Amino acid sequence: SICPLIVVVMPVGLIQTNCYIVGCEETKEGAIIDPGGDAEQILAEVERQGLVVKYVLNTHAHFDHILANGAVLAATGAKLVLHAAEAPLLAQGGAAAIFGIPNPASPAADVYVQEGDTLQLGDITLQVLHTPGHTPGHIALYDSQAHVLFSGDLLFYQGIGRTDLPGGDYDAIVRSLARVLTLPEETLVYPGHGPETTIADEKTGNPFI
């Protein structure tokens, strides 16, 4: 059967964070993952895809993944979804001050998810994987039917997330990486920055693994 998962990649904001607009082809229920800026462009694309946004999902609360939370939530009426361990970082503006950037104001999360939770978008099921290390409450989102992983800043093409910012933990990220590398090798990885990759390619080609 045709995979009902819609995925649109939009690099947004100051450091070209990958925002993902995802949705179900059948029901047009959608979500926005990591709206890191450029709210107008994100909303225009949502409209172009004909999606009704049910959730805004933050893989973690660093400023470059949350900058457009407020505008996108206000425009869509969606619920903001986050791991509870990220709530303090979200409330502090996502460490923007460290980089000399004004704190983005984001509403608090409406839904706190944890390991093992699932989010339903029509016929699409996104599994929540708690993958700490880059931040304590970092999550990845996995669609086992489409073989797609939204890895946030855990895993990149030929790279891994940095652990030198407040809340970073190198030992934790190593454990989280080991875990996602057990996913099927054909799994397509959509990271928080840079080009997409696959689990197979990262197992063999990633110098950090």
Side-chain angles (χ1 to χ4, degrees), residues 7-198:
V7 181
V8 181
V9 189
M10 297 186 72
V12 296
L14 298 165
I15 45 183
Q16 295 294 280
T17 302
N18 288 332
C19 170
Y20 295 99
I21 295 165
V22 300
C24 172
E25 192 69 72
E26 296 297 310
T27 65
K28 297 297 185 186
E29 263 190 358
I32 299 167
I33 301 172
D34 291 339
D38 303 327
E40 297 78 14
Q41 285 162 254
I42 294 170
L43 292 166
E45 185 59 37
V46 165
E47 200 166 312
R48 206 162 22 246
Q49 297 293 331
L51 295 174
V52 176
V53 181
K54 188 174 174 184
Y55 301 118
V56 171
L57 308 168
N58 292 153
T59 57
H60 62 295
H62 278 149
F63 73 92
D64 60 311
H65 294 253
I66 67 167
L67 269 166
N69 274 4
V72 167
L73 289 162
T76 60
K79 286 183 162 40
L80 181 61
V81 179
L82 192 70
H83 190 283
E86 291 298 283
L89 184 59
L90 185 72
Q92 293 154 15
I98 295 174
F99 297 92
I101 292 158
N103 275 350
S106 170
D110 301 294
V111 179
Y112 288 114
V113 289
Q114 56 191 10
E115 174 66 40
D117 287 348
T118 57
L119 295 162
Q120 208 61 39
L121 301 172
D123 303 330
I124 307 291
T125 304
L126 295 176
Q127 287 170 251
V128 175
L129 311 180
H130 181 213
T131 52
H134 181 64
T135 61
H138 190 290
I139 58 171
L141 298 155
Y142 177 53
D143 179 342
S144 61
Q145 278 188 299
H147 297 297
V148 165
L149 178 73
F150 298 96
S151 66
D153 287 3
L154 167 66
L155 177 62
F156 303 123
Y157 169 72
Q158 308 279 288
I160 65 172
R162 59 193 287 188
T163 55
D164 60 337
L165 295 170
D169 181 334
Y170 182 76
D171 293 334
I173 210 169
V174 168
R175 287 192 297 273
S176 294
L177 287 161
R179 176 158 179 234
V180 296
L181 291 171
T182 64
L183 294 174
E185 294 209 328
E186 69 272 23
T187 302
L188 187 58
V189 179
Y190 286 114
H193 303 271
E196 63 205 50
T197 182
T198 65

